[in-house]
Amino acid sequence: MSEKISEKFTGFGLSPALLKAIERQKYEDPSPIQIQTIPAVMAGHDVLAAAQTGTGKTAAYTLPILDHLSKGSKVRPNHVRALILTPTRELAAQVYESVTNYSRFMPLHSTVVYGGVKINPQMIRLTKGMDILVATPGRLLDLYRQNTVNFQQLEILILDEADRMLNLGFLPEIREIQALIPSKRQTLMFTATFSDEVRALAKDFVSHPVEISVNPEEITVDSVTQWIYPVDKLKKSSLLLKLIRDNHWDKILIFTKTKNGADHLSRKLLKAGIATATIHGNKSQGARSRALAEFKSDKLSILVATDLAARGLDIDQLPLVVNFDLPHLKEDYIHRIGRTGRAGATGEAISFVCFDDFEKLADIERLTKQVLDRRIVEGFEPEKALPESQLDLRPFKPKKPKKMKKPKDLL
Ligand code: ADP
Ligand code: MG
């Protein structure tokens, strides 16, 4: 065997079945968040960890909990030993895929449940009892109310993407779940950012946690070459088509602000003969999973997504992200461009900026502490010129994150 996992991995004391699975994944060294999290979880501590998407958080909690679960008692029918909560269906599916990969050599039961698909098959699957259940909060509560899931045997609770969960208004559901599960448990909370709201939730959610923070934002921003195209709003789609043709772009993730915007753009691209799909909340779960799978396997060259639908999606080696519209929240700019330039690779991120979005641009430049290069394409010079950027180096005051509209409206 040519590749071997390093002593940094073997040194954690994880069981041989896990090391074999890690080897199978071709991971050589643990990532920084894994180096800090795995020993803390194995020692039985609660953990509160902040690290940006793409830093390997899923393995950071999945590996040590699988190790723990493989040593414990057998799960009883309808019971659950470890529960992983995620804010969206896509993330639930993705985390479940990781759980399956890492536990492939272990005799553990796991499954995933989320809304938007039939509940009955999920109820049937749960009857045999699950060592690990990955769930979105709403569907989990539905299943609980129908008496198909029992938390008495629950030992570990993981809240993934806690900040997103709160932004999406899931606090009541989280509180409800918290009240239903044993208070004597191990709790792990992962977040991309430490907002006041995340801290407030953490207060009585985790107990004496080990706090882990992997300096997030700068990493991604540095490995991604970014520039903008000043352009009039109505000319954005023709500019995009021109750029796709001139540059022979064949694998791009495009972000739009709204679901309608995503549909509208994808219709235009399809009309121009470019294989495109969209993912957003109005699409059925089947359509979303299919679109993502086809994009990952290069059957589609373009995936158009809204922020909420795309958050945290792990797509390997994405060379280019296009911000067709700038995001509602400046922080989402970083999440978006974090889809490229992952794991040491370099990537490019471009944004179309019209006159009305100048303030959003200024916020993004202030957040990323750089003025973005501008490129003008002949024939697309904006009629309403974009003002010059003045870099504002004052940090943003920490403020309560705005409650976003419920996922229905934006996802
Ligand atoms: P996060 O939850 O922080 O966004 P993920 O857990 O989704 O990150 O991991 C991002 C990507 O990194 C995945 O493709 C995963 O397979 C890969 N990955 C995780 N840990 C390692 C590692 N130690 N070495 C190499 N790749 C890794
Ligand atoms: Mg994650």
Side-chain angles (χ1 to χ4, degrees):
M1 185 163 324
S2 55
E3 278 138 311
K4 254 280 177 252
I5 54 175
S6 76
E7 282 172 16
K8 286 190 201 143
F9 258 128
T10 51
F12 291 129
L14 293 165
S15 68
L18 282 171
L19 294 179
K20 205 165 132 193
I22 294 168
E23 203 155 9
R24 177 83 161 247
Q25 295 293 117
K26 298 203 163 49
Y27 298 169
E28 291 171 19
D29 287 308
S31 71
I33 186 87
Q34 292 163 2
I35 290 175
Q36 296 189 61
T37 307
I38 293 173
V41 178
M42 289 179 81
H45 296 296
D46 279 11
V47 165
L48 178 55
Q52 189 179 8
T53 38
T55 49
K57 292 190 287 296
T58 320
Y61 62 76
T62 307
L63 295 173
I65 65 174
L66 286 172
D67 189 74
H68 172 84
L69 293 169
S70 68
K71 290 167 183 159
S73 55
K74 206 172 141 33
V75 66
R76 299 198 292 274
N78 291 101
H79 284 250
V80 172
R81 295 174 64 209
L83 172 63
I84 303 174
L85 293 175
T86 73
T88 66
R89 322 168 206 183
E90 278 81 10
L91 281 167
Q94 197 169 288
V95 167
Y96 177 61
E97 196 188 320
S98 299
V99 169
T100 315
N101 283 335
Y102 303 142
S103 67
R104 66 169 77 235
F105 302 114
M106 299 176 128
L108 294 172
H109 295 303
S110 59
T111 191
V112 60
V113 297
Y114 42 71
V117 296
K118 286 200 188 105
I119 198 166
N120 275 47
Q122 298 178 349
M123 296 167 80
I124 292 165
R125 284 207 302 277
L126 286 171
T127 52
K128 76 174 173 185
M130 288 296 156
D131 295 289
I132 302 196
L133 175 64
V134 185
T136 51
R139 178 52 61 95
L140 180 72
L141 286 167
D142 286 346
L143 286 159
Y144 178 82
R145 289 184 200 114
Q146 312 226 26
N147 284 324
T148 50
V149 56
N150 185 315
F151 297 123
Q152 277 167 29
Q153 230 187 322
L154 192 85
E155 298 167 62
I156 308 175
L157 172 67
I158 297 105
L159 199 60
D160 200 359
E161 306 246 359
D163 51 350
R164 204 55 171 190
M165 213 69 113
L166 296 174
N167 283 343
L168 291 176
F170 282 129
L171 185 62
E173 285 86 352
I174 294 172
R175 289 297 190 197
E176 202 174 332
I177 293 164
Q178 186 183 9
L180 296 171
I181 62 179
S183 52
K184 191 176 163 297
R185 59 163 197 263
Q186 185 177 16
T187 308
L188 318 174
M189 244 175 102
F190 291 82
T191 180
T193 50
F194 270 137
S195 63
D196 292 348
E197 290 183 344
V198 171
R199 289 208 174 273
L201 173 64
K203 229 175 185 161
D204 61 352
F205 205 72
V206 284
S207 107
H208 307 294
V210 175
E211 286 203 24
I212 296 168
S213 164
V214 174
N215 187 26
E217 267 131 41
E218 334 253 326
I219 307 171
T220 318
V221 175
D222 285 350
S223 59
V224 179
T225 311
Q226 305 155 62
W227 69 94
I228 68 166
Y229 291 100
V231 59
D232 287 331
K233 198 179 279 172
L234 292 175
K235 290 205 171 157
K236 284 195 210 176
S237 17
S238 27
L239 174 59
L240 179 66
L241 280 171
K242 177 175 169 55
L243 289 170
I244 291 173
R245 293 203 175 111
D246 290 358
N247 299 296
H248 308 287
W249 286 337
D250 57 3
K251 183 132 198 200
I252 17 179
L253 178 60
I254 302 181
F255 285 97
T256 60
K257 208 162 42 179
T258 63
K259 294 180 287 195
N260 276 337
D263 284 338
H264 188 73
L265 177 61
S266 111
R267 275 197 300 273
K268 283 208 170 158
L269 292 168
L270 285 168
K271 231 190 230 160
I274 299 168
T276 307
T278 57
I279 49 170
H280 60 60
N282 283 2
K283 298 269 164 184
S284 71
Q285 184 53 36
R288 290 155 80 171
S289 310
R290 209 159 43 240
L292 187 63
E294 289 183 352
F295 183 64
K296 281 189 176 188
S297 65
D298 295 335
K299 277 196 202 120
L300 283 176
S301 39
I302 298 192
L303 190 63
V304 184
T306 54
D307 287 295
L308 294 183
R311 176 77 201 276
L313 291 184
D314 176 38
I315 301 162
D316 281 343
Q317 288 168 338
L318 194 58
L320 177 64
V321 166
V322 175
N323 297 307
F324 189 78
D325 308 309
L326 290 181
H328 289 283
L329 301 174
K330 56 184 179 305
E331 290 79 10
D332 276 334
Y333 177 79
I334 290 176
H335 294 310
R336 286 176 175 193
I337 72 170
R339 310 295 96 222
T340 181
R342 295 189 139 195
T346 52
E348 295 183 328
I350 63 172
S351 305
F352 291 175
V353 185
C354 59
F355 180 83
D356 294 342
D357 281 339
F358 179 66
E359 265 178 50
K360 282 189 181 155
L361 174 68
D363 276 355
I364 286 166
E365 291 182 325
R366 185 172 164 191
L367 182 71
T368 59
K369 302 189 183 73
Q370 58 179 314
V371 170
L372 296 170
D373 283 341
R374 299 180 177 201
R375 296 187 193 171
I376 304 247
V377 177
E378 217 187 304
F380 292 88
E381 300 84 356
E383 277 176 29
K384 284 183 103 176
L386 204 59
E388 284 299 311
S389 291
Q390 298 281 350
L391 192 57
D392 180 349
L393 284 170
R394 289 171 303 161
F396 286 96
K397 281 204 204 78
K399 59 163 199 256
K400 287 242 165 85
K402 276 188 284 220
K403 259 255 160 57
M404 291 183 60
K405 289 180 208 161
K406 276 283 189 185
K408 283 206 252 26
D409 305 329
L410 285 173
L411 197 64

